[in-house]
Amino acid sequence: MSEKYSVIGTRPIRHDGADKVTGRALYGADFQMAGLLRGFILRSPHAHARIQRIDTSKAEAFPGVHAVITTKDFPQVDGTKMVDLGEGLMPLAYARGNVLAGDKVLYRGHAVAAVAAINAHVAEEAAALIEVEYEVLPCVLTAPEAMQPNAPILHADLTTKELGENTGKVSNIADHIRFSIGDTNAGFEAADLIVEREFNTATVHQGYIEPHNATALWNTDGRISIWCSTQGSFVVRDATAGILDIPVSQIKVTPMEIGGGFGGKIPVYLEPVAALLSKKTGRPVKILMPRQAVFEATGPTPGSYMKVKIGAKKDGTITAAQAYLAFEAGAYPGAMVVPGAMTVFAAYDLANVLIDGYDVVVNKPSTAAYRAPGAPNAAFATESVIDELAEKLNLDPIDLRLKNAAKEGTRRADGPKFPRIGCIEVLEAMKNSEHYRSTLTGPNRGRGVALGFWFNIGFPSSCTLNVTADGTVNLIEGSTDIGGSRTSIAMQAAEVLGLKAEDIHPSIVDTDSIGFTAVTGGSRTTFATGWAAYEAAQDVVRQMKERAAKLWEVSPDSVTAEKGLYKSNGHSIGFKDLAARIAETGGPIVGRAAVDPRGAGGSFAGAIVDVEIDPETGKTTILRFTSVQDAGRAIHPAYVEGQMQGGSVQGIGWALNEEYFMSNDGRMMNSSFLDYRMPTALDVPMIETIIVEVPNPGHPFGVRGVGEANIIPPQAAIANAITRAIGTRLTRLPMNPPAIMEAIWCQKSSSPHS
Amino acid sequence: MPKVFIPTLLRHLTDGQAELELEGSTVRQIIAGLEFQYPGFTERLIDNGRLRPNVAIAIDNEITPLGLMESVSPTSEIHFLTAIRGG
């Protein structure tokens, strides 16, 4: 902890701790209301089909059913109109089409119709009575296949765009992006060694434990209330308003506690459907999404095909780098290929770079953000090639990275220069770590390292502070807490006010009760809403000075405030004593702030991993794992460590086991947690953490968001470790036992001694 | 004068030039200047008087939330980027 601060850098007990550990925290599924109906959504059994006819009559006649809806129940408005989905705009036709299919279904699990009934069982049974006649169409499941000229086309109106330029060509390629600096041809000619490889990553899911849920009440006065699990209550409000073509003022969204999101709970799936069912029935309607539907119909992260080529001098100086990235968007455009392309070489100071990225629609669920979206895919490719260069040049892999590391002033391939960043500090922390300096011995064992970068974002946030007469402060904010943010935000207010974290009582409220606050995503919450809390606290301090001045009959300008003690001309009074007198000195004190900050300050993360491979089964055991990350300033170090550990474990799952295992006709064959193999506590060792602090000059306390960068390096670090353990490189995720056995067998069969 | 960096995919509009110096004190004025010299930029960057949803502007290495209304100084660097989001 810095001596400069009293609260920042400490580890207070989280404000929501008691509710969470006693089971009293209220989640969306807990929500109850008089007259509540239950909804169920009928989903497509086909990955790609034209809907010829829907007959809902039998379902509507089923006892206990109150309403059935299809896409025809949506208001008829221009589908080209854009709706705000929180972090970007999307054509209404796509946003609405993903909520309830229009004339085509584009993936297995695509919502087709919905039923509201007296209970969930009746709703599900009635949904089975809905008759849907499909014309089944050929499906396409990977980006390279979907990019072929003769591939089945998902959207007849989709043409390839290139930064606002429409090529006019109907295609599954929604977007092509290109970044370049320097002259890659000259750069590769100057290289002593060039490594080029192709990589594939599987579609994986965010894997949050709590399924999606939503309850909606369309009141008789026309106002809609929604209670749901979301990373952004204002996103739900705005997206639902857009899809239902009603003013945002007609909707109030109350975010319930959230059981994980990782980016996957930014899109809306159920809320507009529950609202329409409520409108039709006149009663509140609750929909809980089954786990199978969570896998089949909510945002996984893109599968990808990538080629990366890097050239270097014998001393390790990189002379040129080139990348080709084709990411699966799923059913609608929006694969995270842009951040993939922006981060693929961002960790390095390079003179010659060429990057091409393609956003490709395929017959899988529409992809959503997942922790540093796009960057883990890209880093898997780059960091594997960097590792191979180091091996072939006989250089230490961290030294090679240090030699080429990005720093303040480095121009990225997409144009801007880096401000103050902690890339070198992270690499040095890795190199100096006890883990990296230790010796790894034993057969079938290997050590790997990798590096990752994520931008982080700002975006708007609001905060209100109400001072109470007992000297505590009620903090009102709108950022859904998915990682302990209510405490990290409260701590920033406490630091300014000179109070303990426990003296701040944070509440996350509905959209009518706080100013606009953007999603909890992009590692922005502790940065941006924390900044709003900082400013609101400054507002409180200003008013408290005025009150002290009134008590002492001095000018407010003469009053100073330091660590909660107000002084002027020999007078002094503490925050709590002054708070007890606010009623007599002018009434309530409310601090307010709304910010739209810049200077989010990117974060670098590194991973060091030791693995052991069982040569008989191909099983990988993680022997030791260290996560290193630049937090700027760690507000609550335990939460920072928790983010690093969580991201690392998700990266381990992505590396070793997780994948959408698809049949040829587009059916996910492992759509349950029994078959979709995520790591448990039994699969991983204690994840060691090293927090690096290179303060972000763009934040009052130096905060850099820490929610995402930690998931970027594990995949490549594990691949590099496996390479050293078995002597051959794997370039496809997941690197599960069959893949490792195949690699071992191929190596043996190609060996001259076999 | 402010320095404008032309995205790779739009350099065909500027005869391959990657950097240009243009007069202007806001992003809107800079784009108007670009359009005057090299027609086609407005259509690609602006829709209905607002920045296209997939376009972000970085001024002096920071993405600006003000878009076309952002001020630029004589020493500013201006980049047109593709907008990103996070999870």
Side-chain angles (χ1 to χ4, degrees), chain B residues 6 37-38 64:
Chain B
I6 308 300
Q37 285 191 37
Y38 302 102
T64 166

Side-chain angles (χ1 to χ4, degrees), chain A residues 371-372 456 522-523 629 643 647 650 704-711, chain B residues 87:
Chain A
R371 262 188 146 142
N456 299 334
S523 298
Q629 186 169 351
Q643 291 290 334
Q650 288 184 309
R704 296 177 193 271
V706 294
E708 298 173 278
N710 39 60
I711 199 175

Side-chain angles (χ1 to χ4, degrees), chain A residues 238-438:
Chain A
D238 294 358
T240 303
I243 289 168
L244 298 179
D245 195 32
I246 55 177
V248 293
S249 61
Q250 293 297 92
I251 301 179
K252 178 172 84 172
V253 176
T254 304
M256 306 297 285
E257 291 291 351
I258 182 169
F262 313 110
K265 284 190 182 158
I266 296 173
V268 297
Y269 300 101
L270 303 176
E271 292 83 353
V273 177
L276 273 183
L277 286 170
S278 177
K279 183 183 186 184
K280 211 163 179 178
T281 61
R283 290 169 62 168
V285 177
K286 176 158 87 173
I287 307 177
L288 307 181
M289 193 182 282
R291 176 63 60 186
Q292 183 179 350
V294 174
F295 275 116
E296 290 188 341
T298 71
T301 202
S304 54
Y305 165 78
M306 300 168 288
K307 277 191 289 191
V308 165
K309 176 181 176 184
I310 302 177
K313 293 281 202 186
K314 285 177 185 163
D315 68 355
T317 304
I318 295 173
T319 58
Q322 187 170 347
Y324 172 100
L325 312 173
F327 281 21
E328 297 165 7
Y332 297 97
M336 304 300 176
V337 71
V338 175
M342 291 170 84
T343 57
V344 62
F345 298 129
Y348 301 105
D349 188 353
L350 306 175
N352 304 299
V353 183
L354 178 61
I355 303 163
D356 282 289
Y358 296 88
D359 177 7
V360 187
V361 293
V362 298
N363 293 115
K364 290 181 182 174
S366 189
T367 55
Y370 179 20
R371 262 188 146 142
N377 309 49
F380 170 57
T382 299
E383 293 295 296
S384 294
V385 170
I386 291 277
D387 191 72
E388 190 169 344
L389 278 169
E391 197 169 28
K392 289 180 172 169
L393 292 170
N394 200 25
L395 295 171
D396 177 275
I398 295 181
D399 284 343
L400 176 69
R401 288 171 170 85
L402 274 167
K403 189 171 188 61
N404 297 283
K407 50 191 152 314
E408 185 174 356
T410 293
R411 190 177 294 287
R412 306 192 316 250
D414 54 307
K417 291 178 182 172
F418 273 121
R420 180 75 173 95
I421 50 172
C423 182
I424 289 172
E425 287 81 354
V426 165
L427 285 166
E428 286 174 342
M430 291 167 69
K431 190 171 181 189
N432 295 329
S433 67
E434 191 277 324
H435 184 170
Y436 196 67
R437 285 186 283 110
S438 69

Side-chain angles (χ1 to χ4, degrees), chain A residues 612-622 683 736-737 740-741:
Chain A
E612 180 175 310
I613 308 297
D614 182 334
E616 307 250 318
T617 65
K619 181 178 186 295
T620 299
T621 300
I622 305 288
D683 295 309
N736 56 19
I740 288 179
M741 289 313 301

Side-chain angles (χ1 to χ4, degrees), chain A residues 87 89 163-165 176 178 180 262-263 266 334 336 338 342 369 373 411 414-417 454 522 596 598-599 708, chain B residues 5 7-12 44 52-54 58 61-66 70 77 79 81-87:
Chain A
E87 292 184 309
L89 299 175
L163 196 65
E165 184 157 317
H176 168 218
R178 172 173 286 179
S180 65
F262 313 110
I266 296 173
M336 304 300 176
V338 175
M342 291 170 84
R411 190 177 294 287
D414 54 307
K417 291 178 182 172
W454 184 246
D596 192 359
R598 307 169 195 201
E708 298 173 278
Chain B
F5 289 73
T8 311
L9 287 174
L10 296 185
R11 285 179 197 161
H12 63 97
R44 286 161 178 82
R52 283 188 177 275
N54 64 329
N61 309 311
E62 278 291 339
I63 302 275
T64 166
L66 294 179
E70 182 62 76
E77 278 194 5
H79 296 270
L81 308 173
T82 308
I84 63 164
R85 46 190 176 154

Side-chain angles (χ1 to χ4, degrees), chain A residues 664-684:
Chain A
N664 289 337
D665 61 354
R667 178 190 176 109
M668 183 185 181
M669 304 300 283
N670 56 337
S671 54
S672 79
F673 273 142
L674 283 176
D675 298 318
Y676 183 88
R677 183 72 170 86
M678 287 173 64
T680 69
L682 298 175
D683 295 309
V684 293

Side-chain angles (χ1 to χ4, degrees), chain B residues 8-29:
Chain B
T8 311
L9 287 174
L10 296 185
R11 285 179 197 161
H12 63 97
L13 296 174
T14 59
D15 303 324
Q17 288 192 78
E19 297 174 23
L20 296 166
E21 291 193 344
L22 289 165
E23 296 276 5
S25 57
T26 65
V27 170
R28 192 186 300 278
Q29 291 173 12

